[in-house]
Amino acid sequence: QSALTQPASVSGSPGQSITISCTGTTSDFSSYNCVSWFQQHPGKAPKLMIYDVSNRPSGISDRFSGSKSGNTASLTISGLQAEDEADYYCNSYTRSTAPHYVFGTGTKVTVL
Amino acid sequence: EVQLVQSGAEVKKPGESLKISCKDSGYSLSNHWIGWVRQIPGKGLEWMGTIYLAGSDIMYSPSVQGQVTISVDKSVSTAYLHWSSLKASDTAMYFCASAVHGNCYFDHWGQGTLVTVSS
């Protein structure tokens, strides 16, 4: 199972919006809504930011939003803030004959 | 509230065995899956496998199948990741994470266990 493809880095100035893409290659990725996004600060555990493509867990700012079109999912951060500087990973779950999870390659977000 | 607490950092030699743990200190995780995720220093997240705490279902990533064993002790709401013979390439941070049965995302994470394998 190949990792999902993300850009290595994305940057933006405070207040701007940025979008991180996550591209899968399987029909399961494009057909189902099992895509989630995680934020990871250095030395910390990952934190769930988006689940089921576009849903935010309780306590997550509405500046974070998710979407999916075809085989590409996206995470958008609007009103970029200094604390948003972190690594971001997408993740998908495949309900095939060999169910499994796969993470994206990860994107470093830099706030300029 | 689910709160996953992992065992402490380990330093081992190649060829040694090791079992690390992940315990829910909140309430029973009987209706949850526990996944293990590896992160080599400076690298990305890699899913290793997931076990259903209320049953015996286990999923392994092909990249670790046969290299590790995932198990659970339901009586103490604890999941384990076990190596019978460590390699230097097993040096990494290992996270556990939980997913409610029926969901397809990990919503709670442990703090991580750093495993260092060096001669």
Side-chain angles (χ1 to χ4, degrees):
Chain A
Q1 294 86 353
S2 300
L4 306 172
T5 301
Q6 299 180 229
S9 63
V10 174
S11 62
S13 299
Q16 287 186 330
S17 293
I18 60 169
T19 297
I20 303 168
S21 62
C22 170
T23 302
T25 59
T26 68
S27 58
D28 280 346
F29 183 82
S30 58
S31 301
Y32 298 108
N33 289 334
C34 281
V35 177
S36 53
W37 289 90
F38 297 91
Q39 175 192 67
Q40 187 181 33
H41 286 108
K44 300 294 186 181
K47 178 182 179 181
L48 179 67
M49 305 301 285
I50 295 288
Y51 67 93
D52 293 350
V53 174
S54 60
N55 295 295
R56 278 187 309 276
S58 174
I60 299 302
S61 171
D62 59 4
R63 297 187 298 105
F64 292 85
S65 62
S67 63
K68 184 164 73 76
S69 177
N71 65 346
T72 299
S74 299
L75 173 71
T76 297
I77 309 175
S78 58
L80 200 61
Q81 299 179 1
E83 61 260 35
D84 300 331
E85 184 162 299
D87 294 323
Y88 291 82
Y89 296 90
C90 59
N91 178 270
S92 76
Y93 175 71
T94 298
R95 305 178 194 269
S96 66
T97 53
H100 62 275
Y101 289 88
V102 62
F103 282 96
T105 50
T107 299
K108 169 67 176 176
V109 168
T110 301
V111 181
L112 302 171
Chain B
E1 175 74 16
V2 175
Q3 187 173 3
L4 302 178
V5 179
Q6 298 186 228
S7 49
E10 302 273 2
V11 179
K12 292 287 189 179
K13 290 180 166 49
E16 292 185 331
S17 64
L18 174 65
K19 180 184 280 190
I20 62 174
S21 65
C22 170
K23 178 179 174 59
D24 171 44
S25 63
Y27 61 87
S28 172
L29 284 172
S30 60
N31 194 37
H32 287 69
W33 293 77
I34 294 289
W36 287 98
V37 176
R38 175 168 63 191
Q39 187 168 39
I40 294 170
K43 302 297 184 182
L45 303 174
E46 179 189 9
W47 173 74
M48 301 176 69
T50 305
I51 188 166
Y52 184 43
L53 294 186
S56 58
D57 290 355
I58 307 176
M59 301 181 280
Y60 287 102
S61 166
S63 65
V64 304
Q65 180 90 46
Q67 308 301 312
V68 298
T69 302
I70 294 173
S71 62
V72 62
D73 184 337
K74 303 171 193 177
S75 66
V76 291
S77 295
T78 300
Y80 302 94
L81 180 63
H82 174 249
W83 293 262
S84 59
S85 180
L86 286 161
K87 307 170 188 172
S89 57
D90 293 318
T91 294
M93 179 71 82
Y94 293 86
F95 294 100
C96 65
S98 67
V100 174
H101 182 59
N103 291 343
C104 54
Y105 55 90
F106 296 114
D107 52 2
H108 291 86
W109 290 70
Q111 83 277 18
T113 296
L114 180 62
V115 174
T116 304
V117 184
S118 174
S119 55

